[in-house]
Amino acid sequence: MTSVARTNQLLYQAELLLAVEPGNDEHATARRMALEEAALGQLELALDSVLREVTEHTDLPHDGWRAWLRATNVNVAELERLRALSRDPESWLGTLLARLQALHGADGVARRDARAGLIASAGAPSLGDTLRWCHREFKTLLPALREGSSEW
């Protein structure tokens, strides 16, 4: 499988996970949380895959998305664009990276719904909605990243 095909596959799988309705039985909350964390994991794999895509014309080994976003000795325009997004906490990538950090933490990232009678934050989108936004923005940026990378 090519790196382009792998990225597409991972984004499609994330989209499928985000589209599943968790139901309304006694396992619905656990199912929703599992689907959200699974989708986030797929988005992480897709990020790693797209970084492989945009850097495959270099002779440098691929050490994963964390290393590529931290590296300062690699000057690839698409990589610089992603680095800039990663430093902006309001961007889709900054948001995604924050959620990934939580995913790899001891508590995970998915949360139970607020119980009745508790005050919930009115303006905070759900994790699922946040991931759907990140997914849409990722897919929107992808053609531009690929276009620049294909010129090499």
Side-chain angles (χ1 to χ4, degrees):
M1 180 176 295
T2 67
S3 56
V4 171
R6 181 64 176 151
T7 302
N8 291 344
Q9 179 187 49
L10 292 164
L11 286 170
Y12 178 64
Q13 289 171 348
E15 186 174 357
L16 291 174
L17 290 165
L18 291 167
V20 173
E21 290 296 328
N24 58 3
D25 61 8
E26 66 272 14
H27 303 289
T29 297
R31 189 176 302 113
R32 176 192 49 79
M33 292 169 64
L35 288 165
E36 289 170 347
E37 290 200 355
L40 182 54
Q42 290 302 103
L43 288 171
E44 179 178 22
L45 291 171
L47 175 61
D48 191 68
S49 185
V50 79
L51 284 165
R52 184 180 314 277
E53 275 186 57
V54 302
T55 59
E56 66 188 357
H57 65 278
T58 69
D59 292 335
L60 301 170
H62 184 79
D63 294 325
W65 66 265
R66 287 175 185 85
W68 279 112
L69 291 178
R70 280 193 307 260
T72 57
N73 61 339
V74 181
N75 293 319
V76 175
E78 296 78 19
L79 186 53
E80 288 300 323
R81 189 169 184 182
L82 289 168
R83 283 184 189 130
L85 284 170
S86 73
R87 290 187 296 267
D88 178 2
E90 300 295 319
S91 74
W92 70 269
L93 187 52
T95 300
L96 183 67
L97 294 179
R99 299 307 185 277
L100 287 173
Q101 184 175 0
L103 177 68
H104 291 281
D107 292 332
V109 69
R111 298 286 177 260
R112 298 196 174 281
D113 294 329
R115 293 185 188 145
L118 294 179
I119 299 171
S121 170
S126 69
L127 177 59
D129 288 342
T130 298
L131 294 178
R132 280 185 276 281
W133 172 69
C134 290
H135 182 268
R136 277 191 311 273
E137 295 297 312
F138 191 161
K139 283 180 63 174
T140 299
L141 180 61
L142 194 55
L145 293 173
R146 286 179 170 160
E147 181 180 342
S149 183
S150 69
E151 291 174 4
W152 288 99

